[in-house]
Amino acid sequence: MVKTALKNKEIDQDGSAIDDKESQQILTTLIKQRKESVEQFTKADARRWLTREAAEIKLIETYLPKEAGEEEIVPECGQRLSR
C-alpha cells in the first residue's frame, strides 16, 4: 500500500523522483484516510476491519520521522527565549 502510493505519485509527476517532504505528505494522507476508516468502522461495529486499519496506521507510522515530544520541545523553547 505504501509503496503503491509513493509509486503512483512518482508516475503522476511523469516519473520524476519524489522528495522526502512529498513522501511524508503521502504517508500522512494515508494515515488520515485510515483514521477516518477507523472512525466509520467503530460506528458500524466492524471490529475485523477496525483492527486491520489500526494495524496499517501503526505500520505507516514507522516510515515517518519521530515527532518531537513535550520533553524535547519545552527545554528548546526555554533556551531560545532566554537568548
Side-chain angles (χ1 to χ4, degrees):
M1 89 196 103
V2 171
K3 186 175 179 180
T4 301
L6 295 171
K7 189 65 176 173
N8 285 341
K9 180 66 173 182
E10 200 173 279
I11 291 168
D12 289 346
Q13 296 181 355
D14 297 323
S16 62
I18 55 176
D19 61 21
D20 288 343
K21 185 176 180 179
E22 289 173 312
S23 297
Q24 288 179 9
Q25 289 173 339
I26 292 166
L27 296 175
T28 302
T29 299
L30 291 174
I31 290 172
K32 181 180 177 187
Q33 291 169 345
R34 276 149 187 83
K35 286 183 178 180
E36 290 170 357
S37 295
V38 164
E39 184 179 316
Q40 294 300 316
F41 292 141
T42 301
K43 290 178 185 175
D45 198 30
R47 295 174 196 209
R48 177 178 147 207
W49 296 105
L50 174 70
T51 305
R52 177 179 166 218
E53 293 294 313
E56 287 184 7
I57 290 170
K58 286 183 181 181
L59 174 70
I60 296 167
E61 287 175 337
T62 64
Y63 291 100
L64 289 171
K66 182 184 170 225
E67 293 182 2
E70 185 176 339
E71 64 277 352
E72 297 166 334
I73 294 172
V74 172
E76 183 67 28
C77 288
Q79 288 176 1
R80 291 180 186 257
L81 291 174
S82 65
R83 289 182 188 172

